[in-house]
Amino acid sequence: MLHYDLLNPFWWLATAVIGYKVFAFVDAAIRREDAYRAADKKTKGFWLIVLGLALGADLLFGANPMTGLLTLAGLVAAIVYVVDVRPAIKLLTDGRGRGRGRGRNPGPYGPW
């Protein structure tokens, strides 16, 4: 049975979808709350709930990207977070939750 799953491309697709949602959820969890407000995005709690429900639904009911409307809606939410919210928050922080700059020139590709 396991050998069959590894040959099934839909199993790989479902695994990739769940991995992407895990990445989005963990990234949302480690970002600072005030960075969400400063970037004029929804609150951290909102994103944690949306991404957590999307991930939880896949883990409970199985990720089926071809027919699962919940899976697709959750994937859209994760894509919106990673493509829109995450870059806006990273622009305000240096990636570790601290503010950029602090008396030094951050430059276009990092501090110098």
Side-chain angles (χ1 to χ4, degrees):
M1 185 70 137
L2 181 63
H3 180 66
Y4 172 74
D5 284 343
L6 293 178
L7 295 176
N8 186 354
F10 293 110
W11 182 84
W12 286 102
L13 187 59
T15 303
V17 167
I18 290 174
Y20 192 77
K21 289 179 182 181
V22 166
F23 169 75
F25 181 78
V26 169
D27 188 77
I30 64 172
R31 302 292 173 187
R32 292 177 18 192
E33 168 66 34
D34 59 340
Y36 287 86
R37 287 177 279 150
D40 198 27
K41 303 297 177 184
K42 299 281 188 185
T43 64
K44 180 177 183 174
F46 170 83
W47 284 108
L48 288 177
I49 289 171
V50 168
L51 296 171
L53 287 174
L55 179 61
D58 281 352
L59 293 177
L60 286 175
F61 305 120
N64 186 355
M66 301 314 281
T67 60
L69 189 59
L70 271 174
T71 297
L72 293 176
L75 182 60
V76 167
I79 290 170
V80 167
Y81 174 80
V82 171
V83 172
D84 182 43
V85 178
R86 184 174 185 258
I89 292 172
K90 284 187 71 155
L91 211 100
L92 298 173
T93 62
D94 65 356
R96 293 182 294 273
R98 296 187 308 236
R100 291 182 74 182
R102 296 212 179 139
R104 58 193 166 132
N105 188 349
Y109 303 109
W112 52 273

